Amino acid sequence: MTENVVSTVDLKKYFTSRKGVVKAVDGVNLSVAAGQVFGFLGPNGAGKTTTLRMLNTLLVPDSGQALVAGFDVLKDPGAVRCRIGYVGQSGGSDRPATGREDLVLQGRLYGMSKAEASSRAAELIDLLDLTDFADRIVYTYSGGQRRRLDVALGIMHRPQVLFLDEPTTGLDPQNRANLWKQIGKLKATGTTIFLTTHYLEEADILSDYLAIMDYGHIVAEGTPQQLKRQVSLDTIRVTLGDPAQNPAAAQVLEGLKVVKSSVLEQDCLRISVDNGEAALPQVMKALDGKDIAISNISLSTASLDDVFLEKTGRSLRDTEAEGGDR
Amino acid sequence: MKVLVDIRLMFVRKMKETLRNPIYILSSLLTPILYLALFAPLLKNLIPNTTNVLNVFVPGLLVIIAFLGGLFVGYNMIDEVRNGVVERFRVTPTSRFALLAGRVLRDMVNILVIVTVFVLISLPFGFRPDLGGFFVFVPLLCMMIITTSSFGNALGLILRDEDRLSPIVQGINLPVLLLSGMLLPMELAPTWLQVIAHFNPAYYVVEAGRLLVAGHITDIKVGEAYLFMVPLTILVVTWATRAFRNAIA
């Protein structure tokens, strides 16, 4: 049995605004197993950030319970703070300091000695590829460089769990991919990562386990694969070199266990399968075995947007323009 | 003690910032120097029974340096809130009091440097302070800095927006300066104005400063200034620490 690093029971936070009560987080139950990347997906304003701020002790819940790294956020916030790392949406690096100075300061605030903090800073500068600019003032950093420093600050004290609030928002695709790589490295060191995002691809690529939040509620959770399979099957499209072989090909494919159904659409065979990635090589091998030449083959997998659409009745892509963060 | 370590770390962080950009200290000197050069000469014929005009005028300027130096620190605070720096520190086990105290101490060092330089500049113009009296004046200036810097920092943290901070600090700035008697002694003012001035902490410090610089250490007004400033400092620091503890920033 894996131990849970984060678990909440019926966590609630309401805000009172001029328009009335906003149920930002309305009864959230979460379990995050040690060592996994936990993705927290939802549109802006869904309550992701509010949930995260209750878990990292910045915000006091109205009701419910939250255990983080073995301690109650309400009863023992100090113990929680020592064991978690946090990288907020706006980062947190000190602009007039150098990256290295800021890292050492961060370590010292967690009680490290000067020597300990310096060697840990050097380690992280290496791990997160900060070497080229670590001794420059943060004002001079690009957005991507600053983001990497922010992440380094968050893990300076080797936290059990690292909270990342929309870490790639505002980054260009290249920097986003780079940060994904760094997050992968962190995971390899055994750090549990709790990540909020409103990007579908990001949630899909990074998370081992995923919870989808909307209007203060968790609407779905599971591994990205499980979630996608709940709503639809993967599709493989095959176009043959010789269309005359289509009936023969269909017959071969019907014989495969992984194939749920196959339909001929114009000159293209559309095959529904449970797990596209596993089925693809089998399909190719079976056709090859009968000397049926493939001119084109493609796989489209069910997307998380399909999941979101099914669970909330609207598309996540449509909601991105709505509301602000809270 | 964790809190002392934290205060030192936070102080060093902010002090490095000052040392990287020492022009701030020079620019803060400009206003008082202009007053000294272009306004002080007007006073010679205005203030009766005074042999040394600068002994009356310079203490007032020093109080203003202390007052303004602290009041406007909220802008820097807003910058740090916006960059997530404050939030980052609040997620660490850093003492909340240290988050405030480190900044306030840095402001105090900065402003005391400015005060020292300004006193040295004033000497050739004819400023002749009583040394003992001056050293009793310095703690009053320090309390002034601690009060305004704590207030300014907490205000920045609470408001988190320059457009909301500006009207408040500007609204405090001018009345406090006018009612402090810094430009002209409040003795020249009508009674109602003198009564209002008695609610102004800067007034007490300016009055005490003039007496102290003239060597009247035992004057009752010096005691009054301490009696006013000590509780005020404690009150404002307590309030500001609470703001650092509770802020959502």
Side-chain angles (χ1 to χ4, degrees):
Chain A
M1 193 190 113
T2 45
E3 153 207 15
N4 282 336
V5 177
V6 177
S7 60
T8 72
V9 180
D10 204 24
L11 204 60
K12 282 184 187 167
K13 184 79 193 177
Y14 294 176
F15 293 111
T16 319
S17 73
R18 260 166 276 166
K19 287 181 201 158
V21 176
V22 178
K23 297 179 174 181
V25 175
D26 196 15
V28 162
N29 298 292
L30 284 177
S31 299
V32 180
Q36 68 177 195
V37 176
F38 182 90
F40 205 29
L41 179 70
N44 289 329
K48 306 183 301 280
T49 297
T50 305
T51 305
L52 192 107
R53 294 166 81 88
M54 288 191 275
L55 297 178
N56 70 16
T57 76
L58 280 177
L59 209 55
V60 177
D62 290 341
S63 70
Q65 203 195 13
L67 288 175
V68 177
F71 292 88
D72 192 315
V73 292
L74 275 175
K75 290 180 193 140
D76 207 348
V80 171
R81 284 180 191 135
C82 291
R83 289 164 180 81
I84 63 167
Y86 167 65
V87 181
Q89 281 176 25
S90 34
S93 44
D94 193 17
R95 302 299 193 269
T98 71
R100 191 186 301 273
E101 277 171 7
D102 214 8
L103 284 167
V104 171
L105 168 68
Q106 184 81 345
R108 303 272 282 141
L109 290 174
Y110 281 103
M112 290 183 188
S113 72
K114 220 174 204 167
E116 233 179 316
S118 299
S119 81
R120 173 68 175 160
E123 199 180 312
L124 288 180
I125 286 166
D126 198 39
L127 179 77
L128 292 174
D129 300 329
L130 311 177
T131 318
D132 293 342
F133 48 86
D135 294 303
R136 272 184 8 216
I137 303 284
V138 175
Y139 270 122
T140 66
Y141 287 21
S142 72
Q145 292 172 335
R146 209 166 53 219
R147 256 305 173 212
R148 265 140 68 196
L149 174 63
D150 294 339
V151 172
L153 287 167
I155 56 170
M156 185 65 194
H157 58 298
R158 299 183 182 85
Q160 284 180 39
V161 51
L162 174 66
F163 293 94
L164 295 171
D165 197 3
E166 312 229 330
T168 64
T169 301
L171 292 186
D172 59 42
Q174 195 192 338
N175 276 309
R176 178 171 302 169
N178 186 296
L179 193 66
W180 287 350
K181 205 175 77 192
Q182 312 296 352
I183 290 171
K185 281 193 204 168
L186 288 187
K187 194 197 160 188
T189 66
T191 312
T192 307
I193 296 167
F194 187 114
L195 162 115
T196 78
T197 181
H198 60 264
Y199 294 118
L200 293 160
E201 320 86 276
E202 183 162 292
D204 202 353
I205 292 170
L206 291 177
S207 339
D208 299 312
Y209 195 85
L210 196 60
I212 298 180
M213 190 166 194
D214 193 32
Y215 291 121
H217 299 277
I218 305 281
V219 293
E221 56 179 307
T223 67
Q225 286 305 317
Q226 283 169 350
L227 285 174
K228 285 184 282 190
R229 224 154 288 146
Q230 275 176 26
V231 291
S232 60
L233 300 170
D234 294 349
T235 307
I236 298 173
R237 286 187 176 79
V238 187
T239 311
L240 301 182
D242 177 7
Q245 285 184 309
N246 274 335
Q251 208 180 349
V252 171
L253 293 172
E254 296 287 344
L256 287 176
K257 231 189 259 173
V258 291
V259 174
K260 297 287 171 193
S261 68
S262 77
V263 188
L264 183 64
E265 284 177 345
Q266 288 155 344
D267 281 342
C268 168
L269 279 164
R270 196 168 142 261
I271 310 155
S272 294
V273 293
D274 259 343
N275 183 342
E277 280 159 20
L280 193 62
Q282 294 186 41
V283 168
M284 293 172 75
K285 204 174 151 200
L287 291 174
D288 195 47
K290 298 287 177 192
D291 283 331
I292 300 171
I294 299 169
S295 82
N296 193 350
I297 188 162
S298 69
L299 167 67
S300 57
T301 50
S303 80
L304 285 175
D305 199 34
D306 299 328
V307 179
F308 193 80
L309 185 66
E310 168 147 324
K311 301 289 178 184
T312 68
R314 60 210 170 99
S315 167
L316 182 58
R317 298 189 193 281
D318 298 336
T319 63
E320 276 184 17
E322 280 177 27
D325 288 307
R326 23 164 143 83
Chain B
M1 277 285 278
K2 171 94 168 103
V3 61
L4 294 180
V5 176
D6 286 352
I7 290 174
R8 211 192 78 201
L9 290 168
M10 284 296 152
F11 169 72
V12 170
R13 172 179 88 93
K14 293 304 281 178
M15 205 65 223
K16 273 185 189 159
E17 193 181 312
T18 300
L19 294 177
R20 286 208 165 101
N21 204 359
I23 199 83
Y24 160 79
I25 293 194
L26 287 179
S27 64
S28 308
L29 275 168
L30 189 66
T31 307
I33 287 175
L34 286 177
Y35 267 114
L36 185 70
L38 305 181
F39 184 78
L42 294 179
L43 292 171
K44 211 148 228 163
N45 303 322
L46 266 178
I47 304 174
N49 318 324
T50 313
T51 47
N52 188 333
V53 173
L54 285 192
N55 275 12
V56 179
F57 192 57
V58 171
L61 282 180
L62 294 180
V63 175
I64 294 319
I65 292 172
F67 179 78
L68 294 186
L71 189 63
F72 287 90
V73 295
Y75 291 98
N76 176 255
M77 189 71 206
I78 290 174
D79 244 16
E80 293 202 352
V81 168
R82 196 161 288 150
N83 291 336
V85 181
V86 180
E87 189 177 81
R88 163 188 150 205
F89 289 139
R90 292 185 70 252
V91 175
T92 69
T94 313
S95 142
R96 309 291 120 140
F97 175 69
L99 293 181
L100 173 72
R103 312 177 78 92
V104 172
L105 280 182
R106 191 279 308 254
D107 294 340
M108 194 156 93
V109 170
N110 272 2
I111 297 167
L112 286 179
V113 168
I114 296 167
V115 162
T116 310
V117 174
F118 186 69
V119 166
L120 293 178
I121 291 173
S122 307
L123 292 177
F125 284 84
F127 180 46
R128 292 286 173 273
D130 176 81
L131 209 58
F134 191 78
F135 281 115
V136 181
F137 183 36
V138 169
L140 282 173
L141 288 176
C142 289
M143 282 191 277
M144 192 62 147
I145 299 166
I146 293 170
T147 303
T148 52
S149 161
S150 303
F151 178 77
N153 274 310
L155 213 57
L157 184 63
I158 292 166
L159 298 177
R160 284 188 271 162
D161 183 358
E162 290 91 346
D163 292 341
R164 290 158 73 196
L165 181 68
S166 282
I168 296 184
V169 291
Q170 295 294 356
I172 292 171
N173 177 15
L174 203 56
V176 168
L177 291 198
L178 289 177
L179 289 173
S180 68
M182 152 264 189
L183 295 177
L184 296 169
M186 286 313 277
E187 294 140 43
L188 301 174
T191 320
W192 63 270
L193 207 57
Q194 290 195 26
V195 171
I196 303 178
H198 277 81
F199 292 96
N200 180 2
Y203 166 77
Y204 291 93
V205 182
V206 169
E207 288 286 303
R210 286 182 179 143
L211 288 161
L212 286 168
V213 162
H216 306 298
I217 299 177
T218 53
D219 196 287
I220 182 80
K221 283 188 162 174
V222 175
E224 265 177 25
Y226 271 88
L227 218 60
F228 200 96
M229 285 311 291
V230 171
L232 182 73
T233 308
I234 296 172
L235 200 76
V236 173
V237 169
T238 310
W239 171 76
T241 308
R242 273 193 47 186
F244 270 78
R245 192 164 293 145
N246 299 336
I248 299 169

